[in-house]
Amino acid sequence: MPLNSAQTRRPTLYDVATQAGVSPSLVSLFLKDPGRISEKRREAVQKAIRDLGYRPSRAATTLASSRTKSIGLVIDDYRNPWFVDLLRGMESVLSDLGYQVTLADSRPGANRIKEATDGLLAMHVDALVLAAEPSEPMLAGTWVPTVVAGWRNGVPAGADLITNDDDRGGMMAADHLLALGHSRIGHLSGSDGASFHRRAGYQSTLEAAGVEVVIGESEGTSEEDGYGSACWLLDHHPGTTAIFAANDTMALGAFAAIKARGLSVPNEVSVIGYDNSPLAKSRFLDLTSIDNRSDVVGVDAARRLLARIDDPTLEPERKLIEPTLVLRGTTSAVR
């Protein structure tokens, strides 16, 4: 008799086999490599799994295959929308293959990033994605394939780097504002690796155009950091007609600073952000932004990890993802 929803015990692999009318070994093969099973039997097993609410034992799978089917992801600030797209891109590749992503947040603090990484390694993850500032000692003795996602101040030996071409993105933002006739362009910048590259692109473009470089720098890239930097910028450079923020969150702070001074966007001050996050896409902000295609970073990071898992002898690679400019309503010709 098929099991039903009234059952009181946890369904097993053998229950799935009975319900699907196949052998337990075929169910086991389905869980490891469904592509090796005929479509008819695959559908029968999938239906039995759904009907029974069966959940494979990850511990048992680990013992049988020496893999946990899990990827560790270390981030340094869960408030940053960039990580949402990164994770979405990773999971679009990994979830259909049965991998799970385990997230560890390493917000600023002594040894927090190393502690987060050590915790994931203790869980025997198959690979690591570091979207936080790594260090050589942190990965000493680590054998799992490792990808550094996004610009960091250092990439440990043996790790791949998959990141946005943020120098190019900074250049695109500056070129856009210059093309609109702006010549008094301020930049709000953080102090991390990505901010450094975005600032470098902005600075080189303005210098080549003979335009003064004005930077309001802060330690972080939060909305509050953007507000403080924009206040400084507008107070010390009152003729500013355009602001390029290092991310969309800082741009939101810039909006508040502009409004507090009785100015409007984009009539008096144009604003361009970076990341093309949900903030930028909202109808309320309608923010012009550089799309750094973080989901593509996630997709490529996941694919690279899978390749390294299958072939540990692969040499580490460095890959840059080309950004795009997304035009919306917060930039206009200088008036």
Side-chain angles (χ1 to χ4, degrees):
M1 293 289 292
L3 295 175
N4 57 48
S5 59
Q7 66 187 32
T8 57
R9 65 181 178 83
R10 178 177 178 174
T12 68
L13 180 145
Y14 298 95
D15 296 327
V16 173
T18 300
Q19 184 101 332
V22 299
S23 67
S25 61
L26 188 136
V27 177
S28 180
L29 178 60
F30 169 86
L31 295 174
K32 294 177 183 177
D33 190 357
R36 294 175 59 187
I37 301 173
S38 70
E39 183 178 356
K40 181 179 180 180
R41 288 185 172 182
R42 186 165 61 244
E43 290 177 353
V45 174
Q46 287 174 328
K47 184 176 186 304
I49 288 175
R50 287 196 303 270
D51 291 347
L52 295 172
Y54 173 71
R55 297 291 183 272
S57 167
R58 296 187 69 84
T61 303
T62 299
L63 289 173
S65 66
S66 77
R67 291 184 183 176
T68 61
K69 300 285 281 189
S70 62
I71 304 295
L73 171 61
V74 181
I75 66 174
D76 57 14
D77 188 352
Y78 64 87
R79 298 167 298 179
N80 189 336
W82 185 85
F83 297 114
V84 176
D85 287 338
L86 176 72
L87 181 59
R88 180 164 55 86
M90 289 177 58
E91 291 194 327
S92 71
V93 174
L94 298 170
S95 59
D96 288 344
L97 299 175
Y99 281 86
Q100 291 185 337
V101 178
T102 301
L103 184 66
D105 177 21
S106 60
R107 281 167 290 173
N111 298 319
R112 283 297 301 274
I113 294 176
K114 186 177 188 308
E115 290 171 3
T117 304
D118 288 345
L120 290 172
L121 293 174
M123 298 169 64
H124 302 287
V125 294
D126 293 329
L128 280 173
V129 175
L130 299 179
E133 198 64 55
S135 66
E136 289 289 350
M138 184 178 78
L139 294 178
T142 299
W143 62 268
V144 300
T146 302
V147 166
V148 175
W151 288 113
R152 308 297 161 185
N153 292 327
V155 179
D160 298 85
L161 174 66
I162 311 290
T163 187
N164 322 102
D165 190 347
D166 288 314
D167 292 80
R168 177 68 186 132
M171 294 171 64
M172 292 173 70
D175 279 336
H176 172 59
L177 295 174
L178 289 170
L180 291 173
H182 295 280
S183 59
R184 306 196 68 173
I185 305 168
H187 177 46
L188 311 182
S189 179
S191 59
D192 62 8
S195 293
F196 173 82
H197 286 274
R198 295 169 189 181
R199 180 170 67 244
Y202 152 85
Q203 183 168 341
S204 65
T205 302
L206 261 61
E207 287 175 345
V211 173
E212 181 185 9
V213 173
V214 179
I215 299 175
E217 187 170 2
S218 59
E219 284 297 316
T221 55
S222 68
E223 179 182 347
E224 191 62 31
D225 293 318
Y227 177 77
S229 295
C231 286
W232 176 88
L233 184 69
L234 294 169
D235 291 344
H236 288 78
H237 299 270
T240 298
T241 62
I243 292 177
F244 164 40
N247 64 19
D248 295 338
T249 307
M250 292 190 85
L252 185 60
F255 268 74
I258 293 168
K259 181 179 179 181
R261 281 151 184 77
L263 303 173
S264 65
V265 176
N267 293 332
E268 292 164 292
V269 183
S270 287
V271 177
I272 181 170
Y274 206 111
D275 291 340
N276 196 33
S277 67
L279 278 175
K281 300 171 187 176
S282 72
R283 289 185 176 86
F284 177 73
L285 286 185
D286 194 33
L287 176 66
T288 295
S289 185
I290 302 296
D291 187 346
N292 58 3
R293 302 169 70 205
S294 299
D295 57 331
V296 179
V297 175
V299 167
D300 285 3
R303 288 175 176 168
R304 185 60 183 170
L305 288 177
L306 292 174
R308 292 281 299 276
I309 289 171
D310 288 339
D311 184 2
T313 65
L314 289 177
E315 290 295 320
E317 71 171 10
R318 168 176 163 164
K319 184 173 184 179
L320 298 180
I321 306 301
E322 183 75 9
T324 60
L325 171 65
V326 181
L327 296 176
R328 296 194 180 92
T330 59
T331 53
S332 66
V334 66
R335 300 177 184 179

